[in-house]
Coordinates of all heavy atoms in Angstrom, one line a residue:
K1143 N -19.3 10.0 0.3 CA -20.5 9.4 0.8 C -21.1 10.3 1.8 O -22.4 10.4 1.9 CB -20.1 8.1 1.6 CG -19.9 6.9 0.7 CD -19.6 5.6 1.5 CE -19.5 4.4 0.6 NZ -20.8 3.9 0.2
S1144 N -20.3 11.1 2.6 CA -20.9 12.1 3.5 C -21.6 13.1 2.7 O -22.7 13.5 3.2 CB -19.7 12.7 4.3 OG -18.9 11.8 5.0
A1145 N -21.1 13.6 1.6 CA -21.8 14.6 0.8 C -23.1 14.1 0.3 O -24.1 14.8 0.3 CB -20.9 15.0 -0.4
R1146 N -23.1 12.8 -0.1 CA -24.4 12.2 -0.6 C -25.4 12.1 0.5 O -26.6 12.4 0.4 CB -24.1 10.9 -1.3 CG -25.4 10.2 -1.8 CD -25.1 8.9 -2.4 NE -24.3 8.0 -1.6 CZ -24.8 7.3 -0.5 NH1 -26.1 7.5 -0.2 NH2 -24.0 6.6 0.2
S1147 N -25.0 11.6 1.7 CA -25.9 11.4 2.8 C -26.4 12.7 3.4 O -27.5 12.7 3.9 CB -25.2 10.5 3.9 OG -25.0 9.2 3.3
L1148 N -25.5 13.7 3.5 CA -26.0 15.0 4.0 C -26.9 15.7 2.9 O -27.8 16.4 3.3 CB -24.8 15.9 4.3 CG -24.0 15.5 5.5 CD1 -22.7 16.3 5.6 CD2 -24.8 15.7 6.8
G1149 N -26.6 15.5 1.7 CA -27.4 16.1 0.6 C -27.1 17.5 0.4 O -26.7 17.9 -0.7
L1150 N -27.4 18.3 1.4 CA -27.0 19.7 1.4 C -26.1 20.0 2.6 O -26.4 19.5 3.7 CB -28.2 20.6 1.4 CG -27.9 22.1 1.4 CD1 -28.8 22.9 0.5 CD2 -27.9 22.8 2.8
F1151 N -25.0 20.7 2.4 CA -24.1 20.8 3.5 C -23.2 22.1 3.3 O -22.9 22.5 2.2 CB -23.2 19.6 3.6 CG -22.4 19.3 2.3 CD1 -21.1 19.7 2.1 CD2 -23.0 18.5 1.3 CE1 -20.4 19.5 1.0 CE2 -22.3 18.2 0.1 CZ -21.0 18.7 0.0
R1152 N -22.7 22.6 4.4 CA -21.5 23.5 4.4 C -20.3 22.6 4.4 O -20.3 21.5 4.9 CB -21.6 24.4 5.6 CG -22.8 25.3 5.7 CD -22.7 26.1 7.0 NE -21.8 27.3 6.8 CZ -21.7 28.2 7.7 NH1 -22.4 28.2 8.8 NH2 -20.9 29.2 7.5
A1153 N -19.3 23.1 3.7 CA -18.0 22.3 3.5 C -17.5 21.8 4.9 O -17.0 20.7 4.9 CB -17.0 23.2 2.8
E1154 N -17.5 22.6 5.9 CA -16.9 22.2 7.2 C -17.7 21.2 7.9 O -17.3 20.6 8.9 CB -16.7 23.5 8.1 CG -18.0 24.2 8.4 CD -18.2 25.4 7.5 OE1 -17.8 25.3 6.3 OE2 -18.8 26.4 7.9
W1155 N -18.9 20.8 7.4 CA -19.7 19.7 8.0 C -19.3 18.4 7.6 O -19.6 17.4 8.3 CB -21.2 19.9 7.7 CG -21.9 21.1 8.2 CD1 -21.4 22.0 9.1 CD2 -23.2 21.6 7.8 NE1 -22.3 23.0 9.3 CE2 -23.4 22.8 8.5 CE3 -24.1 21.2 6.9 CZ2 -24.6 23.6 8.4 CZ3 -25.3 21.9 6.7 CH2 -25.5 23.1 7.5
L1156 N -18.6 18.3 6.5 CA -18.3 16.9 5.9 C -17.5 16.0 6.8 O -17.8 14.8 6.9 CB -17.6 17.1 4.6 CG -18.4 17.4 3.3 CD1 -17.5 17.4 2.1 CD2 -19.5 16.3 3.1
A1157 N -16.4 16.5 7.4 CA -15.4 15.6 8.0 C -16.0 14.9 9.2 O -15.7 13.8 9.5 CB -14.2 16.4 8.4
D1158 N -17.0 15.5 9.9 CA -17.5 14.9 11.2 C -18.3 13.6 10.9 O -18.3 12.8 11.8 CB -18.4 15.9 11.9 CG -19.0 15.3 13.1 OD1 -18.3 15.2 14.1 OD2 -20.2 14.9 13.1
Y1159 N -18.8 13.5 9.7 CA -19.7 12.4 9.4 C -19.0 11.0 9.7 O -19.6 10.1 10.3 CB -20.2 12.4 8.0 CG -21.6 11.8 7.8 CD1 -22.8 12.6 8.2 CD2 -21.8 10.6 7.3 CE1 -24.0 12.0 8.0 CE2 -23.0 10.0 7.1 CZ -24.2 10.8 7.5 OH -25.4 10.2 7.3
Y1160 N -17.8 10.9 9.2 CA -17.0 9.7 9.5 C -15.9 10.0 10.5 O -14.9 9.2 10.6 CB -16.4 9.2 8.2 CG -17.3 8.4 7.3 CD1 -18.0 9.0 6.3 CD2 -17.4 7.0 7.5 CE1 -18.8 8.3 5.5 CE2 -18.3 6.3 6.7 CZ -19.0 6.9 5.7 OH -19.8 6.2 4.8
R1161 N -16.0 11.1 11.3 CA -15.0 11.4 12.3 C -13.6 11.5 11.7 O -12.6 11.0 12.2 CB -15.0 10.4 13.4 CG -16.2 10.6 14.3 CD -16.0 11.8 15.3 NE -16.9 11.6 16.5 CZ -18.1 12.2 16.6 NH1 -18.5 12.9 15.6 NH2 -18.7 12.0 17.7
L1162 N -13.5 12.2 10.5 CA -12.2 12.4 9.9 C -11.6 13.8 10.3 O -12.3 14.7 10.7 CB -12.4 12.4 8.4 CG -13.0 11.2 7.7 CD1 -13.2 11.4 6.3 CD2 -12.1 10.0 8.0
R1163 N -10.3 13.9 10.2 CA -9.7 15.2 10.4 C -10.1 16.1 9.2 O -10.3 15.6 8.1 CB -8.1 15.0 10.4 CG -7.6 14.4 11.6 CD -6.1 14.3 11.6 NE -5.6 13.7 12.9 CZ -4.4 13.4 13.1 NH1 -3.4 13.6 12.2 NH2 -4.0 12.8 14.2
Q1164 N -10.2 17.4 9.5 CA -10.6 18.3 8.4 C -9.7 18.3 7.2 O -8.5 18.5 7.4 CB -10.6 19.7 9.0 CG -11.5 20.7 8.2 CD -12.9 20.4 8.2 OE1 -13.4 19.8 7.2 NE2 -13.7 20.8 9.2
P1165 N -10.2 17.9 6.1 CA -9.3 17.9 4.9 C -9.0 19.2 4.3 O -9.6 20.3 4.8 CB -10.2 17.0 3.9 CG -11.6 17.4 4.3 CD -11.6 17.6 5.8
A1166 N -8.2 19.3 3.3 CA -7.9 20.5 2.6 C -9.2 20.8 1.7 O -9.4 20.2 0.7 CB -6.7 20.4 1.7
L1167 N -10.1 21.6 2.3 CA -11.4 21.8 1.7 C -11.4 22.3 0.2 O -12.2 21.7 -0.6 CB -12.3 22.7 2.6 CG -12.7 22.0 3.9 CD1 -13.4 23.0 4.8 CD2 -13.6 20.8 3.7
P1168 N -10.6 23.3 -0.1 CA -10.7 23.7 -1.5 C -10.4 22.6 -2.5 O -11.1 22.5 -3.5 CB -9.7 24.9 -1.6 CG -9.6 25.4 -0.2 CD -9.8 24.2 0.7
L1169 N -9.4 21.8 -2.2 CA -9.0 20.7 -3.1 C -10.1 19.6 -3.1 O -10.4 19.1 -4.2 CB -7.7 20.1 -2.7 CG -6.4 21.0 -2.8 CD1 -5.2 20.3 -2.2 CD2 -6.1 21.2 -4.3
L1170 N -10.6 19.3 -2.0 CA -11.7 18.3 -1.9 C -12.9 18.8 -2.7 O -13.5 18.0 -3.5 CB -12.1 18.1 -0.4 CG -13.3 17.2 -0.2 CD1 -13.1 15.8 -0.7 CD2 -13.8 17.3 1.2
L1171 N -13.3 20.0 -2.5 CA -14.5 20.5 -3.2 C -14.3 20.5 -4.7 O -15.3 20.2 -5.5 CB -14.9 21.9 -2.6 CG -15.3 21.9 -1.1 CD1 -15.4 23.3 -0.6 CD2 -16.6 21.1 -0.9
E1172 N -13.1 20.9 -5.1 CA -12.8 20.9 -6.5 C -12.9 19.5 -7.1 O -13.5 19.3 -8.2 CB -11.4 21.5 -6.7 CG -11.1 21.7 -8.2 CD -9.7 22.3 -8.4 OE1 -9.1 22.8 -7.4 OE2 -9.1 22.2 -9.5
R1173 N -12.4 18.6 -6.4 CA -12.4 17.2 -6.9 C -13.8 16.6 -6.9 O -14.2 16.0 -7.9 CB -11.5 16.3 -6.0 CG -11.4 14.9 -6.6 CD -10.4 14.0 -5.8 NE -10.5 12.6 -6.1 CZ -9.9 11.7 -5.5 NH1 -9.1 11.9 -4.5 NH2 -10.0 10.4 -5.9
L1174 N -14.6 16.9 -5.9 CA -16.0 16.4 -5.9 C -16.8 17.0 -7.0 O -17.7 16.4 -7.6 CB -16.6 16.7 -4.5 CG -16.1 15.9 -3.3 CD1 -16.7 16.4 -2.0 CD2 -16.5 14.4 -3.5
Q1175 N -16.5 18.3 -7.3 CA -17.2 18.9 -8.4 C -16.8 18.3 -9.8 O -17.6 18.0 -10.6 CB -16.9 20.4 -8.5 CG -17.6 21.3 -7.5 CD -17.3 22.8 -7.7 OE1 -18.0 23.4 -8.5 NE2 -16.3 23.3 -7.0
E1176 N -15.5 18.1 -9.9 CA -15.0 17.5 -11.2 C -15.6 16.1 -11.4 O -15.8 15.6 -12.5 CB -13.5 17.4 -11.1 CG -12.8 18.7 -11.3 CD -11.3 18.6 -11.1 OE1 -10.8 17.5 -10.7 OE2 -10.6 19.6 -11.3
E1177 N -15.8 15.3 -10.3 CA -16.4 14.0 -10.3 C -17.9 14.0 -10.6 O -18.6 13.0 -10.7 CB -16.1 13.2 -9.1 CG -14.6 12.9 -8.9 CD -14.3 12.4 -7.5 OE1 -15.1 12.5 -6.6 OE2 -13.2 11.9 -7.3
G1178 N -18.5 15.3 -10.6 CA -19.9 15.4 -10.8 C -20.8 15.1 -9.6 O -22.0 14.8 -9.7

């Protein structure tokens, strides 16, 4: 949801949107790409 609401983003911007701890970004980005 953060990715959709930001629209365009650097990977390190994602976690702050819902105040989450920084995730494992390579794995997250790979999964978000696979999900289209």
Side-chain angles (χ1 to χ4, degrees):
K1143 282 178 175 286
S1144 303
R1146 180 182 51 77
S1147 293
L1148 288 169
L1150 181 135
F1151 58 93
R1152 299 180 76 173
E1154 58 266 31
W1155 295 348
L1156 275 183
D1158 177 75
Y1159 210 80
Y1160 280 93
R1161 287 284 200 261
L1162 301 174
R1163 289 182 179 174
Q1164 197 65 262
L1167 288 174
L1169 291 173
L1170 170 68
L1171 296 168
E1172 184 180 347
R1173 183 174 170 188
L1174 289 174
Q1175 283 186 89
E1176 288 173 354
E1177 292 168 347

